[in-house]
Amino acid sequence: MPKVSRFFVKAALLCLVLGGAVAGLALSGAGGLPPALLALRPLAWHLLTVGWATQLIFGVAFWMFPHVAGEQPRGDERLAWASFWTLNGGLALRAVGEPLAALRPTPVAGVLLPLAATLQLAGVLIFVLLTWPRVRAVSARH
Amino acid sequence: MPVLARWYLKASLFYLALGTLLGAIILWGKGAPIAGAWTMLAPHIALVTWGWLLLLTLGVAYWILPRWGQERRRVWLAAGAYVCLNAALWLVALAPWLKAAWPNAVGGGLQALGCLAFALHAWPRVRKSAYGR
């Protein structure tokens, strides 16, 4: 398993634990939750769908999808690292900025959230571009 | 990787990019308001769940579940599921702009049909592989 895949999968597991805990707090009580917990709901969903499921898929796909011909059979690994850091940087900024914006709108959130959105989008687009040519008939290894 | 699996996986990557773009607009709008950003919430959710996660898992399942030699059998069910799920996704994703109830109703029906078709395709493939493992 390449190093960047291990980073993706271990970060996914951390997000699973964190997202599960936040979801347990913020999603379990239907109506009577305090505003501070309600503000965590979008974060809980995104830790589980982006941080856990999507990131786990990224790690396993980079590891196991068919190889391409050439010196870099999995594609440019620097792009995979760029995807890893931008995606997780975006998630981290969102984890701070989103509850902050929901509870007490500040100018800081006006900077953090657009930045978080841009980083997450960049992480996804980089990964899509990296993976697209590997969705192919035959692995170059065989 | 067979042709149909490649169609599933490339569609799922496309929907991931599109769904994340809509999600990024919504998140951006929470910090610096963008008019109409919240209209994209339902399409965002549909694209990243039904489009990305579901199509990816179905594509990989179609690819790697045990076969009969080189044969996957009843491929038309998996192909029908692909058509139904993609048509449903576009109906549901465009529903907020079509301003009518029927796209969600038809889309929901097509999603259910697509899931049933894929389950019928995959069910007999969940078995011992040719190698006995």
Side-chain angles (χ1 to χ4, degrees):
Chain A
M1 186 189 263
K3 189 175 180 181
V4 68
S5 286
R6 301 201 301 272
F7 268 65
F8 268 124
V9 173
K10 287 191 171 176
L13 289 168
L14 287 176
C15 285
L16 173 65
V17 172
L18 192 58
V22 176
L25 287 171
L27 301 178
S28 54
L33 289 173
L37 288 183
L38 287 173
L40 292 174
R41 285 187 162 186
L43 177 64
W45 286 118
H46 287 90
L47 280 172
L48 292 173
T49 54
V50 180
W52 160 240
T54 297
Q55 193 157 216
L56 181 80
I57 292 166
F58 281 12
V60 174
F62 184 76
W63 173 29
M64 300 202 71
F65 266 27
H67 288 191
V68 291
E71 289 182 6
Q72 296 178 306
R74 292 188 172 93
D76 190 342
E77 195 160 325
R78 290 172 303 178
L79 289 178
W81 281 112
S83 172
F84 175 82
W85 289 115
T86 50
L87 190 73
N88 283 284
L91 263 178
L93 289 181
R94 146 175 245 155
V96 176
E98 203 168 28
L100 196 66
L103 288 173
R104 194 178 46 209
T106 63
V108 177
V111 176
L112 282 185
L113 292 181
L115 187 57
T118 306
L119 285 173
Q120 286 179 95
L121 180 61
V124 162
L125 292 180
I126 292 168
F127 191 83
V128 169
L129 291 174
L130 180 66
T131 308
W132 195 269
R134 293 183 61 191
V135 180
R136 61 205 299 271
V138 185
S139 177
R141 283 182 303 179
H142 302 300
Chain B
M1 191 187 291
V3 172
L4 187 56
R6 301 204 301 270
W7 279 80
Y8 267 104
L9 294 183
K10 289 201 168 174
S12 78
L13 288 171
F14 172 72
Y15 292 135
L16 171 66
L18 188 59
T20 305
L21 174 65
L22 300 190
I25 292 169
I26 296 168
L27 184 59
W28 187 296
K30 286 183 180 180
I34 297 173
W38 282 104
T39 316
M40 297 173 196
L41 181 62
H44 163 64
I45 293 170
L47 286 164
V48 295
T49 53
W50 291 91
W52 160 235
L53 293 173
L54 184 69
L55 289 187
L56 179 105
T57 49
L58 297 188
V60 172
Y62 180 79
W63 174 25
I64 67 171
L65 281 175
R67 294 165 294 182
W68 293 268
Q70 287 301 308
E71 191 189 1
R72 286 185 167 82
R73 292 186 189 172
R74 299 199 297 181
V75 170
W76 63 274
L77 281 170
Y82 178 83
V83 173
C84 285
L85 290 170
N86 276 281
L89 192 54
W90 282 105
L91 283 172
V92 172
L94 294 174
W97 291 281
L98 295 174
K99 298 187 190 306
W102 70 265
N104 275 321
V106 176
L110 282 171
Q111 278 175 344
L113 191 63
C115 291
L116 175 66
F118 195 90
L120 289 173
H121 164 80
W123 193 272
R125 291 181 61 189
V126 182
R127 55 197 274 275
K128 272 188 183 176
S129 73
Y131 310 103
R133 292 193 294 260

